[in-house]
Amino acid sequence: MIILMICVKSLAQRSGELYNTISKLDSTFFKALNDCDLKKYESFLAFDYEFYHDKQGLTVSKGNEMKSMELFCGEQRERQQIKRILINESLEVYPVTNYGAIENGEHIFHLVIDDNISKPISKAKFTSIWRFDNNEWKLARTISYNHIPYGKIQLKDEILGLYEGNYQSSDRMVNIKKEGKTLKMTDLVDKKEVWSAEMLAETEDMFYLNQNNIQIQFIMEKGKAKKLVVYENGNQIEEAIKSQ
């Protein structure tokens, strides 16, 4: 595999001609992704493109990648629109002699609510291997890894722990559990899990889901969670009382 054979001896570049070239390629390539401009997106890919994703596995060939993109920009985009934003200060570029360049960085994926509002939902690291061939840059390999939930703010464990427990709504039990640096919301009917989603912090007591425009607010009393209130598109749709 090319990924395993490349040996990089140079220090990372954060300025200069090669850095500027790769930075511009990154910006244009991911704009095509954000806009779901499939024709433009495909134009960047090498014929033997490979995509390594820690959650979704391996995609081999440009053709298979474009099939995945058609799903991403079709049914999935109808349910929720995702936008990628590069963490600019994370970008590093390494030259590869007689081949091209390696690009390392981190990016954050946002859930787009409308033209004016988007919310961060996950963060990941990536490595892109660019090949310069016939006076043209092509993306040969992508490695996307260390995907973690990522909200507007990151709360301390002791604050997240205040919200753990079961909350009774009119038709089901809602379980709130701390997972890593965020919360997980699970709906239980007859003690069986029927639905779950990550909850990401917007303020100390307000959370949002990584899908749709749903917010959950915890109502506190004497330092303890009393109930949670669920909002959709800014309108309250239900509440659940915490079990003692």
Side-chain angles (χ1 to χ4, degrees):
M1 288 291 182
I2 291 174
I3 293 173
L4 299 178
M5 294 174 61
I6 292 176
C7 180
V8 181
K9 298 181 180 180
S10 304
L11 295 176
Q13 295 185 8
R14 294 186 173 88
S15 62
E17 183 178 354
L18 181 62
Y19 177 90
N20 292 337
T21 295
I22 298 302
S23 178
K24 184 176 181 180
L25 286 168
D26 178 280
S27 177
T28 309
F29 175 70
F30 278 102
K31 184 179 187 305
L33 172 67
N34 289 339
D35 295 344
C36 272
D37 185 343
L38 297 186
K39 185 176 180 180
K40 185 72 173 179
Y41 183 89
E42 184 176 12
S43 71
F44 282 91
L45 304 182
F47 72 92
D48 58 347
Y49 176 72
E50 293 180 358
F51 183 23
Y52 297 79
H53 193 288
D54 61 349
K55 304 295 185 182
Q56 300 171 5
L58 171 63
T59 300
V60 177
S61 85
K62 177 165 68 173
N64 286 329
E65 171 63 11
M66 293 312 300
K67 289 179 182 178
S68 296
M69 282 300 298
E70 288 172 3
L71 291 174
F72 175 79
C73 290
E75 297 176 5
Q76 182 173 336
R77 195 178 181 92
E78 290 179 3
R79 295 194 301 270
Q80 59 181 33
Q81 182 178 347
I82 304 298
K83 176 175 66 175
R84 177 264 195 182
I85 297 178
L86 174 69
I87 301 175
N88 290 319
E89 61 272 19
S90 73
L91 189 65
E92 299 177 341
V93 176
Y94 298 80
V96 181
T97 304
N98 299 323
Y99 186 85
I102 293 177
E103 172 194 13
N104 286 333
E106 290 185 272
H107 43 206
I108 297 173
F109 294 92
H110 286 237
L111 175 66
V112 177
I113 304 300
D114 56 36
D115 291 340
N116 300 312
I117 300 174
S118 67
K119 298 179 180 182
I121 57 173
S122 68
K123 183 179 180 181
K125 297 180 180 181
F126 71 96
T127 297
S128 296
I129 299 179
W130 294 90
R131 183 165 67 213
F132 191 65
D133 191 21
N134 293 324
N135 294 316
E136 191 174 29
W137 285 97
K138 292 291 184 181
L139 184 57
R141 303 289 186 270
T142 301
I143 310 172
S144 186
Y145 59 102
N146 196 38
H147 289 81
I148 57 173
Y150 191 79
K152 280 189 175 182
I153 63 173
Q154 315 306 310
L155 297 178
K156 295 180 179 180
D157 289 349
E158 51 265 35
I159 295 177
L160 294 174
L162 294 174
Y163 307 129
E164 288 191 298
N166 291 323
Y167 296 73
Q168 183 65 56
S169 73
S170 59
D171 61 349
R172 68 192 185 283
M173 184 72 75
V174 180
N175 175 259
I176 304 296
K177 184 178 181 181
K178 186 174 76 69
E179 286 199 351
K181 295 299 180 179
T182 188
L183 296 175
K184 181 180 180 181
M185 180 181 194
T186 303
D187 284 356
L188 302 171
V189 176
D190 296 330
K191 298 183 179 181
K192 294 181 180 179
E193 179 178 333
V194 295
W195 179 85
S196 66
E198 294 167 350
M199 297 172 59
L200 305 161
E202 192 164 4
T203 66
E204 189 169 298
D205 62 356
M206 182 75 78
F207 293 73
Y208 59 95
L209 301 188
N210 61 357
Q211 53 188 282
N212 303 317
N213 188 17
I214 304 290
Q215 292 174 297
I216 299 95
Q217 183 178 22
F218 289 96
I219 307 301
M220 307 295 290
E221 187 175 276
K222 297 180 179 179
K224 295 182 179 181
K226 179 181 178 181
K227 65 179 179 179
L228 61 81
V229 181
V230 182
Y231 300 88
E232 183 173 14
N233 298 320
N235 300 311
Q236 181 176 331
I237 58 173
E238 68 174 337
E239 66 178 31
I241 307 300
K242 188 174 185 182
S243 302
Q244 299 303 316

PDB file of all heavy atoms in Angstrom, residues 9 11 26 43 46 57 79 114 120 132 141 153-154 156 174 184-186 192 199 203 218 224 244:
ATOM      1  N   LYS A   9      10.637  12.590   5.439  1.00  0.00           N
ATOM      2  CA  LYS A   9      11.771  13.031   6.236  1.00  0.00           C
ATOM      3  C   LYS A   9      11.703  14.528   6.544  1.00  0.00           C
ATOM      4  O   LYS A   9      12.351  15.001   7.463  1.00  0.00           O
ATOM      5  CB  LYS A   9      13.078  12.707   5.492  1.00  0.00           C
ATOM      6  CG  LYS A   9      13.289  11.211   5.270  1.00  0.00           C
ATOM      7  CD  LYS A   9      14.596  10.950   4.557  1.00  0.00           C
ATOM      8  CE  LYS A   9      14.807   9.444   4.332  1.00  0.00           C
ATOM      9  NZ  LYS A   9      16.074   9.151   3.628  1.00  0.00           N
ATOM     10  N   LEU A  11      10.251  18.271   7.666  1.00  0.00           N
ATOM     11  CA  LEU A  11       9.386  18.798   8.699  1.00  0.00           C
ATOM     12  C   LEU A  11       8.110  19.320   8.073  1.00  0.00           C
ATOM     13  O   LEU A  11       8.053  19.668   6.902  1.00  0.00           O
ATOM     14  CB  LEU A  11      10.109  19.926   9.449  1.00  0.00           C
ATOM     15  CG  LEU A  11      11.350  19.523  10.255  1.00  0.00           C
ATOM     16  CD1 LEU A  11      12.004  20.763  10.847  1.00  0.00           C
ATOM     17  CD2 LEU A  11      10.986  18.533  11.358  1.00  0.00           C
ATOM     18  N   ASP A  26      -7.462  21.655  -0.625  1.00  0.00           N
ATOM     19  CA  ASP A  26      -8.333  21.229   0.475  1.00  0.00           C
ATOM     20  C   ASP A  26      -9.607  22.060   0.502  1.00  0.00           C
ATOM     21  O   ASP A  26     -10.720  21.524   0.598  1.00  0.00           O
ATOM     22  CB  ASP A  26      -7.586  21.361   1.806  1.00  0.00           C
ATOM     23  CG  ASP A  26      -8.436  20.976   3.003  1.00  0.00           C
ATOM     24  OD1 ASP A  26      -9.253  21.808   3.459  1.00  0.00           O
ATOM     25  OD2 ASP A  26      -8.289  19.843   3.497  1.00  0.00           O
ATOM     26  N   SER A  43     -13.820  15.165  -9.773  1.00  0.00           N
ATOM     27  CA  SER A  43     -12.669  15.616 -10.561  1.00  0.00           C
ATOM     28  C   SER A  43     -11.370  15.610  -9.757  1.00  0.00           C
ATOM     29  O   SER A  43     -10.282  15.589 -10.338  1.00  0.00           O
ATOM     30  CB  SER A  43     -12.932  17.017 -11.119  1.00  0.00           C
ATOM     31  OG  SER A  43     -12.907  17.996 -10.085  1.00  0.00           O
ATOM     32  N   ALA A  46      -8.254  10.413  -7.703  1.00  0.00           N
ATOM     33  CA  ALA A  46      -7.476   9.531  -8.574  1.00  0.00           C
ATOM     34  C   ALA A  46      -8.310   8.299  -8.913  1.00  0.00           C
ATOM     35  O   ALA A  46      -9.207   7.908  -8.166  1.00  0.00           O
ATOM     36  CB  ALA A  46      -6.183   9.123  -7.868  1.00  0.00           C
ATOM     37  N   GLY A  57     -15.343   2.068   7.559  1.00  0.00           N
ATOM     38  CA  GLY A  57     -14.524   1.068   6.902  1.00  0.00           C
ATOM     39  C   GLY A  57     -13.797   1.599   5.676  1.00  0.00           C
ATOM     40  O   GLY A  57     -13.537   2.796   5.551  1.00  0.00           O
ATOM     41  N   ARG A  79     -32.428  14.193   5.097  1.00  0.00           N
ATOM     42  CA  ARG A  79     -32.691  14.084   6.536  1.00  0.00           C
ATOM     43  C   ARG A  79     -31.917  15.134   7.317  1.00  0.00           C
ATOM     44  O   ARG A  79     -32.431  15.720   8.254  1.00  0.00           O
ATOM     45  CB  ARG A  79     -32.315  12.683   7.028  1.00  0.00           C
ATOM     46  CG  ARG A  79     -33.179  11.562   6.444  1.00  0.00           C
ATOM     47  CD  ARG A  79     -32.973  10.287   7.227  1.00  0.00           C
ATOM     48  NE  ARG A  79     -31.593   9.855   7.217  1.00  0.00           N
ATOM     49  CZ  ARG A  79     -31.073   9.038   6.295  1.00  0.00           C
ATOM     50  NH1 ARG A  79     -31.827   8.590   5.308  1.00  0.00           N
ATOM     51  NH2 ARG A  79     -29.806   8.674   6.371  1.00  0.00           N
ATOM     52  N   ASP A 114     -30.252  26.020   9.221  1.00  0.00           N
ATOM     53  CA  ASP A 114     -30.785  26.832   8.132  1.00  0.00           C
ATOM     54  C   ASP A 114     -29.634  27.635   7.551  1.00  0.00           C
ATOM     55  O   ASP A 114     -28.464  27.373   7.854  1.00  0.00           O
ATOM     56  CB  ASP A 114     -31.944  27.733   8.600  1.00  0.00           C
ATOM     57  CG  ASP A 114     -31.549  28.646   9.763  1.00  0.00           C
ATOM     58  OD1 ASP A 114     -30.394  29.119   9.796  1.00  0.00           O
ATOM     59  OD2 ASP A 114     -32.392  28.881  10.643  1.00  0.00           O
ATOM     60  N   PRO A 120     -21.892  22.495  15.678  1.00  0.00           N
ATOM     61  CA  PRO A 120     -20.905  21.409  15.604  1.00  0.00           C
ATOM     62  C   PRO A 120     -21.455  20.126  16.221  1.00  0.00           C
ATOM     63  O   PRO A 120     -22.134  20.175  17.246  1.00  0.00           O
ATOM     64  CB  PRO A 120     -19.721  21.940  16.418  1.00  0.00           C
ATOM     65  CG  PRO A 120     -20.334  22.931  17.355  1.00  0.00           C
ATOM     66  CD  PRO A 120     -21.480  23.559  16.609  1.00  0.00           C
ATOM     67  N   PHE A 132       0.877  14.262  -7.548  1.00  0.00           N
ATOM     68  CA  PHE A 132       1.048  15.181  -8.671  1.00  0.00           C
ATOM     69  C   PHE A 132       1.463  14.373  -9.886  1.00  0.00           C
ATOM     70  O   PHE A 132       2.565  13.845  -9.963  1.00  0.00           O
ATOM     71  CB  PHE A 132       2.104  16.241  -8.334  1.00  0.00           C
ATOM     72  CG  PHE A 132       2.160  17.365  -9.320  1.00  0.00           C
ATOM     73  CD1 PHE A 132       1.083  18.226  -9.470  1.00  0.00           C
ATOM     74  CD2 PHE A 132       3.286  17.562 -10.102  1.00  0.00           C
ATOM     75  CE1 PHE A 132       1.121  19.273 -10.379  1.00  0.00           C
ATOM     76  CE2 PHE A 132       3.342  18.608 -11.021  1.00  0.00           C
ATOM     77  CZ  PHE A 132       2.250  19.467 -11.160  1.00  0.00           C
ATOM     78  N   ARG A 141      -5.376   9.041  -1.594  1.00  0.00           N
ATOM     79  CA  ARG A 141      -5.797   8.327  -0.389  1.00  0.00           C
ATOM     80  C   ARG A 141      -6.322   9.326   0.647  1.00  0.00           C
ATOM     81  O   ARG A 141      -5.797  10.429   0.778  1.00  0.00           O
ATOM     82  CB  ARG A 141      -4.638   7.535   0.247  1.00  0.00           C
ATOM     83  CG  ARG A 141      -3.972   6.511  -0.673  1.00  0.00           C
ATOM     84  CD  ARG A 141      -4.864   5.323  -0.929  1.00  0.00           C
ATOM     85  NE  ARG A 141      -4.174   4.307  -1.686  1.00  0.00           N
ATOM     86  CZ  ARG A 141      -4.148   4.221  -3.014  1.00  0.00           C
ATOM     87  NH1 ARG A 141      -4.763   5.143  -3.746  1.00  0.00           N
ATOM     88  NH2 ARG A 141      -3.509   3.235  -3.613  1.00  0.00           N
ATOM     89  N   ILE A 153     -19.857  23.684  23.408  1.00  0.00           N
ATOM     90  CA  ILE A 153     -18.971  23.806  24.557  1.00  0.00           C
ATOM     91  C   ILE A 153     -18.712  22.406  25.111  1.00  0.00           C
ATOM     92  O   ILE A 153     -19.479  21.476  24.855  1.00  0.00           O
ATOM     93  CB  ILE A 153     -19.549  24.718  25.664  1.00  0.00           C
ATOM     94  CG1 ILE A 153     -20.849  24.134  26.225  1.00  0.00           C
ATOM     95  CG2 ILE A 153     -19.784  26.130  25.122  1.00  0.00           C
ATOM     96  CD1 ILE A 153     -21.372  24.907  27.430  1.00  0.00           C
ATOM     97  N   GLN A 154     -17.629  22.272  25.865  1.00  0.00           N
ATOM     98  CA  GLN A 154     -17.268  20.988  26.457  1.00  0.00           C
ATOM     99  C   GLN A 154     -17.411  21.098  27.968  1.00  0.00           C
ATOM    100  O   GLN A 154     -16.714  21.892  28.600  1.00  0.00           O
ATOM    101  CB  GLN A 154     -15.826  20.606  26.065  1.00  0.00           C
ATOM    102  CG  GLN A 154     -15.483  20.822  24.590  1.00  0.00           C
ATOM    103  CD  GLN A 154     -16.439  20.146  23.634  1.00  0.00           C
ATOM    104  OE1 GLN A 154     -16.723  18.959  23.772  1.00  0.00           O
ATOM    105  NE2 GLN A 154     -16.940  20.897  22.663  1.00  0.00           N
ATOM    106  N   LYS A 156     -17.564  19.769  32.031  1.00  0.00           N
ATOM    107  CA  LYS A 156     -16.834  18.892  32.938  1.00  0.00           C
ATOM    108  C   LYS A 156     -17.696  17.688  33.323  1.00  0.00           C
ATOM    109  O   LYS A 156     -18.922  17.748  33.301  1.00  0.00           O
ATOM    110  CB  LYS A 156     -16.417  19.658  34.196  1.00  0.00           C
ATOM    111  CG  LYS A 156     -15.420  20.776  33.932  1.00  0.00           C
ATOM    112  CD  LYS A 156     -15.045  21.491  35.220  1.00  0.00           C
ATOM    113  CE  LYS A 156     -14.034  22.594  34.966  1.00  0.00           C
ATOM    114  NZ  LYS A 156     -13.655  23.311  36.217  1.00  0.00           N
ATOM    115  N   VAL A 174     -37.248   8.057  29.577  1.00  0.00           N
ATOM    116  CA  VAL A 174     -36.082   8.606  28.886  1.00  0.00           C
ATOM    117  C   VAL A 174     -34.871   8.447  29.802  1.00  0.00           C
ATOM    118  O   VAL A 174     -34.854   8.976  30.920  1.00  0.00           O
ATOM    119  CB  VAL A 174     -36.281  10.090  28.530  1.00  0.00           C
ATOM    120  CG1 VAL A 174     -35.044  10.639  27.820  1.00  0.00           C
ATOM    121  CG2 VAL A 174     -37.515  10.272  27.652  1.00  0.00           C
ATOM    122  N   LYS A 184     -25.827  10.696  26.408  1.00  0.00           N
ATOM    123  CA  LYS A 184     -26.606   9.888  25.476  1.00  0.00           C
ATOM    124  C   LYS A 184     -28.040   9.822  25.978  1.00  0.00           C
ATOM    125  O   LYS A 184     -28.290   9.546  27.151  1.00  0.00           O
ATOM    126  CB  LYS A 184     -26.036   8.476  25.354  1.00  0.00           C
ATOM    127  CG  LYS A 184     -26.788   7.590  24.371  1.00  0.00           C
ATOM    128  CD  LYS A 184     -26.181   6.200  24.290  1.00  0.00           C
ATOM    129  CE  LYS A 184     -26.936   5.315  23.312  1.00  0.00           C
ATOM    130  NZ  LYS A 184     -26.368   3.942  23.237  1.00  0.00           N
ATOM    131  N   MET A 185     -28.970  10.084  25.081  1.00  0.00           N
ATOM    132  CA  MET A 185     -30.399  10.062  25.395  1.00  0.00           C
ATOM    133  C   MET A 185     -30.997   8.805  24.784  1.00  0.00           C
ATOM    134  O   MET A 185     -30.855   8.554  23.588  1.00  0.00           O
ATOM    135  CB  MET A 185     -31.059  11.311  24.796  1.00  0.00           C
ATOM    136  CG  MET A 185     -32.536  11.431  25.033  1.00  0.00           C
ATOM    137  SD  MET A 185     -33.154  12.957  24.224  1.00  0.00           S
ATOM    138  CE  MET A 185     -34.774  13.073  24.989  1.00  0.00           C
ATOM    139  N   THR A 186     -31.678   7.992  25.604  1.00  0.00           N
ATOM    140  CA  THR A 186     -32.261   6.737  25.130  1.00  0.00           C
ATOM    141  C   THR A 186     -33.718   6.651  25.530  1.00  0.00           C
ATOM    142  O   THR A 186     -34.051   6.835  26.713  1.00  0.00           O
ATOM    143  CB  THR A 186     -31.492   5.520  25.693  1.00  0.00           C
ATOM    144  OG1 THR A 186     -30.114   5.607  25.324  1.00  0.00           O
ATOM    145  CG2 THR A 186     -32.079   4.216  25.154  1.00  0.00           C
ATOM    146  N   LYS A 192     -37.384  -1.560  27.071  1.00  0.00           N
ATOM    147  CA  LYS A 192     -36.617  -1.896  25.872  1.00  0.00           C
ATOM    148  C   LYS A 192     -36.213  -0.620  25.139  1.00  0.00           C
ATOM    149  O   LYS A 192     -37.017   0.296  24.997  1.00  0.00           O
ATOM    150  CB  LYS A 192     -37.434  -2.800  24.952  1.00  0.00           C
ATOM    151  CG  LYS A 192     -37.725  -4.171  25.534  1.00  0.00           C
ATOM    152  CD  LYS A 192     -38.513  -5.022  24.548  1.00  0.00           C
ATOM    153  CE  LYS A 192     -38.818  -6.394  25.129  1.00  0.00           C
ATOM    154  NZ  LYS A 192     -39.607  -7.234  24.178  1.00  0.00           N
ATOM    155  N   MET A 199     -26.283  13.742  22.835  1.00  0.00           N
ATOM    156  CA  MET A 199     -26.685  15.083  23.244  1.00  0.00           C
ATOM    157  C   MET A 199     -25.424  15.924  23.401  1.00  0.00           C
ATOM    158  O   MET A 199     -24.505  15.555  24.132  1.00  0.00           O
ATOM    159  CB  MET A 199     -27.457  15.031  24.566  1.00  0.00           C
ATOM    160  CG  MET A 199     -28.761  14.265  24.485  1.00  0.00           C
ATOM    161  SD  MET A 199     -29.509  14.036  26.129  1.00  0.00           S
ATOM    162  CE  MET A 199     -29.716  15.730  26.672  1.00  0.00           C
ATOM    163  N   THR A 203     -25.190  25.127  26.141  1.00  0.00           N
ATOM    164  CA  THR A 203     -24.886  25.886  27.360  1.00  0.00           C
ATOM    165  C   THR A 203     -24.762  24.851  28.473  1.00  0.00           C
ATOM    166  O   THR A 203     -24.822  23.638  28.221  1.00  0.00           O
ATOM    167  CB  THR A 203     -25.997  26.906  27.701  1.00  0.00           C
ATOM    168  OG1 THR A 203     -27.197  26.195  28.037  1.00  0.00           O
ATOM    169  CG2 THR A 203     -26.264  27.835  26.521  1.00  0.00           C
ATOM    170  N   PHE A 218     -32.421  21.053  30.718  1.00  0.00           N
ATOM    171  CA  PHE A 218     -32.598  20.474  32.053  1.00  0.00           C
ATOM    172  C   PHE A 218     -33.015  21.579  33.016  1.00  0.00           C
ATOM    173  O   PHE A 218     -32.380  22.631  33.090  1.00  0.00           O
ATOM    174  CB  PHE A 218     -31.312  19.807  32.521  1.00  0.00           C
ATOM    175  CG  PHE A 218     -30.988  18.550  31.780  1.00  0.00           C
ATOM    176  CD1 PHE A 218     -30.118  18.571  30.690  1.00  0.00           C
ATOM    177  CD2 PHE A 218     -31.557  17.337  32.145  1.00  0.00           C
ATOM    178  CE1 PHE A 218     -29.818  17.414  29.995  1.00  0.00           C
ATOM    179  CE2 PHE A 218     -31.258  16.168  31.460  1.00  0.00           C
ATOM    180  CZ  PHE A 218     -30.398  16.205  30.380  1.00  0.00           C
ATOM    181  N   LYS A 224     -30.117  20.026  41.776  1.00  0.00           N
ATOM    182  CA  LYS A 224     -30.399  18.712  41.199  1.00  0.00           C
ATOM    183  C   LYS A 224     -31.345  18.852  40.011  1.00  0.00           C
ATOM    184  O   LYS A 224     -32.185  19.760  39.986  1.00  0.00           O
ATOM    185  CB  LYS A 224     -31.022  17.784  42.249  1.00  0.00           C
ATOM    186  CG  LYS A 224     -30.087  17.454  43.411  1.00  0.00           C
ATOM    187  CD  LYS A 224     -30.744  16.489  44.386  1.00  0.00           C
ATOM    188  CE  LYS A 224     -29.812  16.142  45.533  1.00  0.00           C
ATOM    189  NZ  LYS A 224     -30.446  15.173  46.483  1.00  0.00           N
ATOM    190  N   GLN A 244     -37.141   9.645  41.142  1.00  0.00           N
ATOM    191  CA  GLN A 244     -36.372   9.796  42.396  1.00  0.00           C
ATOM    192  C   GLN A 244     -35.734   8.487  42.798  1.00  0.00           C
ATOM    193  O   GLN A 244     -36.195   7.415  42.452  1.00  0.00           O
ATOM    194  CB  GLN A 244     -37.322  10.283  43.482  1.00  0.00           C
ATOM    195  CG  GLN A 244     -37.966  11.621  43.177  1.00  0.00           C
ATOM    196  CD  GLN A 244     -36.959  12.729  42.934  1.00  0.00           C
ATOM    197  OE1 GLN A 244     -35.966  12.834  43.684  1.00  0.00           O
ATOM    198  NE2 GLN A 244     -37.173  13.570  41.931  1.00  0.00           N
TER     199      GLN A 244
END
